[in-house]
Amino acid sequence: DVKVTQSSRYLVKRTGEKVFLECVQDMDHENMFWYRQDPGLGLRLIYFSYDVKMKEKGDIPEGYSVSREKKERFSLILESASTNQTSMYLCASSLWRTSTDTQYFGPGTRLTVL
Amino acid sequence: DQQVKQNSPSLSVQEGRISILNCDYTNSMFDYFLWYKKYPAEGPTFLISISSIKDKNEDGRFTVFLNKSAKHLSLHIVPSQPGDSAVYFCAASGFYNNNDMRFGAGTRLTVKP
């Protein structure tokens, strides 16, 4: 059974803190994604990665960076957290890049920045 | 700029009846459309998809209809069951890349016993 896990379900941080969100997939997938979900806006892509050490910006990369040192792990980094980064963060993975390759999502991390 | 819109934040139906969830898109370059289902405390899971060369795709109780001229798709659930209660996201992308997928805001479906 496919599995995408995220390090925390809930996280509370203070403004200016450096925040790490971790995602691990056990399906040997090439592609991994980070989205944020906000009420009324759906899921918006922050960054994605097609391979180890490869990364591409999504629609809203400002204020975020990512790291993919191993195929199974994709980290989202908030260098200096701000209150407008309070959101639900969802990680996903897919085998390949085409649209027919299903994206499998983790359960999400709800981040609150005070 | 939201290219995929789900205008109904919520929908409530009686068990056994039909649920119809709607989705509109603005980008005529979209070639592939999907529905995801999300239960509380879980990530979205893929439900059903349709490519632009079709106007209907069926999988058990779930059918997706695509009207390209109207830039509209809908998800029909027949018959609806209480276990279908979830948030449903519509998504669209070009055919060759899943990194340009655009998601709607979601519709919360409640199926009452």
Side-chain angles (χ1 to χ4, degrees):
Chain A
D1 198 13
V2 297
K3 196 155 189 182
V4 179
T5 56
Q6 295 184 229
S7 51
S8 306
R9 287 290 287 129
Y10 298 94
L11 211 51
V12 179
K13 295 292 181 182
R14 297 214 172 268
T15 302
E17 279 193 80
K18 190 168 186 175
V19 181
F20 292 87
L21 302 182
E22 305 285 341
C23 174
V24 177
Q25 50 96 359
D26 65 357
M27 298 164 281
D28 202 32
H29 282 176
E30 299 292 327
N31 306 312
M32 298 188 75
F33 309 82
W34 274 107
Y35 292 90
R36 65 177 278 177
Q37 180 193 351
D38 298 290
L41 293 178
L43 281 68
R44 292 179 293 165
L45 183 63
I46 305 171
Y47 267 97
F48 61 97
S49 169
Y50 288 135
D51 199 353
V52 174
K53 298 193 186 297
M54 301 293 288
K55 59 185 179 184
E56 297 280 348
K57 292 179 180 179
D59 294 326
I60 50 166
E62 296 78 18
Y64 303 94
S65 62
V66 290
S67 172
R68 193 169 180 199
E69 296 296 319
K70 293 186 177 181
K71 190 175 185 180
E72 67 271 17
R73 188 179 296 269
F74 193 33
S75 303
L76 180 69
I77 303 157
L78 287 68
E79 294 289 343
S80 178
S82 63
T83 55
N84 63 12
Q85 292 178 309
T86 292
S87 186
M88 170 70 84
Y89 290 88
L90 291 162
C91 175
S93 72
S94 70
L95 182 60
W96 298 115
R97 296 169 62 163
T98 61
S99 296
T100 53
D101 290 305
T102 301
Q103 291 191 28
Y104 295 89
F105 285 85
T109 295
R110 184 165 294 283
L111 172 68
T112 302
V113 183
L114 302 175
Chain B
D1 176 30
Q2 277 198 276
Q3 299 183 47
V4 178
K5 293 184 180 179
Q6 294 175 255
N7 292 319
S8 298
S10 63
L11 175 68
S12 182
V13 299
Q14 208 65 36
E15 181 179 5
R17 307 295 287 266
I18 185 172
S19 295
I20 300 176
L21 293 88
N22 293 303
C23 178
D24 296 296
Y25 62 96
T26 58
N27 189 340
S28 57
M29 299 301 290
F30 287 145
D31 275 328
Y32 195 68
F33 305 88
L34 308 89
W35 286 92
Y36 278 84
K37 176 179 179 179
K38 185 181 184 302
Y39 291 118
E42 296 182 12
T45 55
F46 169 75
L47 183 60
I48 193 169
S49 63
I50 188 168
S51 72
S52 60
I53 61 173
K54 294 186 174 182
D55 55 17
K56 176 183 173 181
N57 188 28
E58 202 169 345
D59 183 3
R61 297 184 297 112
F62 302 91
T63 303
V64 57
F65 294 92
L66 176 63
N67 183 334
K68 283 199 72 177
S69 61
K71 295 190 179 67
H72 177 83
L73 66 156
S74 60
L75 175 68
H76 293 210
I77 307 173
V78 185
S80 302
Q81 299 174 354
D84 296 328
S85 297
V87 176
Y88 290 78
F89 291 99
C90 169
S93 74
F95 196 79
Y96 293 104
N97 280 297
N98 64 1
N99 57 281
D100 65 353
M101 196 166 293
R102 297 290 184 269
F103 288 82
T107 296
R108 181 178 299 280
L109 173 66
T110 302
V111 181
K112 297 180 179 178

